[in-house]
Amino acid sequence: MKKVIALILMILTVVSLTACASTGTHDLANPDRASKYSDNYAKLTTEYGEAEFKEDAEYGTVLTGVAVMRILEFSGDSKPELYIAYSDGTKPYANKQQIYGFDNGPYEFFSEYKENLDMSEITTKSSADKKGPCICLYTDEDGLAYLVVGEDLSKQADYYSYVTVDSNGDEIYNLVKIFTEYDGKQLPGKYEYIELTGLTKADAEKIFEENENVINSIESQKK
């Protein structure tokens, strides 16, 4: 009997640890935030479809639909935002991006032009020999995330984050500004480069696996 009880306790412990690992991958710390992110994801997939890995005559292999999802902290308030890259149908690959916030009201951060740059359009190339664009996400040593853009990231990169205070002293996170320019070098921290064209199936599967982690985290934490 004791052996049976011990076995049951061991199984329950493993299940508990597995649940913690799956739900704690991305801690959203607020069920309302998780619900808003879930609603936003559902809206985009209804309009643009799920993430897909496809063949294209011009670009070779491409990611399309709601292709990339990441939970990162862009605004400097230690509360995570949802990054999404998707295809709006005007390109054969995922060509649009947004960073979706909750604490100052849900909206797309990249909904405006700043300094003649449309931040919603993905144009960054990882190197000059790439025909198509890629996403470059940078997280500094303090955990603050930035979107990195540039015509050729091997030569020049601009790091974008957020203005956090308006003229009334209120915190806002929907204005983009240049953080720094670091010519030809990389700042210390973590970089994630996500090719949207010319990638392998294995590359796509890794991206989709992390997308699934994000989706599971959101769904498990919402009301």
Side-chain angles (χ1 to χ4, degrees), residues 181-199:
E181 180 181 288
Y182 210 63
D183 189 16
K185 299 179 182 178
Q186 289 189 334
L187 294 169
K190 177 184 176 183
Y191 291 81
E192 184 179 12
Y193 295 90
I194 303 172
E195 298 287 350
L196 299 170
T197 66
L199 69 169

Side-chain angles (χ1 to χ4, degrees), residues 134-146:
C134 79
I135 297 162
C136 179
L137 298 169
Y138 165 67
T139 304
D140 69 17
E141 294 172 307
D142 295 321
L144 186 62
Y146 299 86

Side-chain angles (χ1 to χ4, degrees), residues 8 14 40 91 105 113 124 131 142 151 189 194 201 208 217:
I8 292 171
V14 171
N40 185 52
K91 302 282 187 180
Y113 281 82
T124 301
K131 289 197 300 181
D142 295 321
E151 279 302 306
I194 303 172
K201 185 177 181 180
F208 295 162
S217 295

Side-chain angles (χ1 to χ4, degrees), residues 40-61:
N40 185 52
Y41 170 66
K43 174 185 174 184
L44 288 175
T45 53
T46 297
E47 190 166 357
Y48 303 115
E50 301 280 353
E52 286 190 76
F53 175 67
K54 290 184 174 181
E55 293 285 341
D56 179 74
E58 180 179 359
Y59 290 95
T61 54

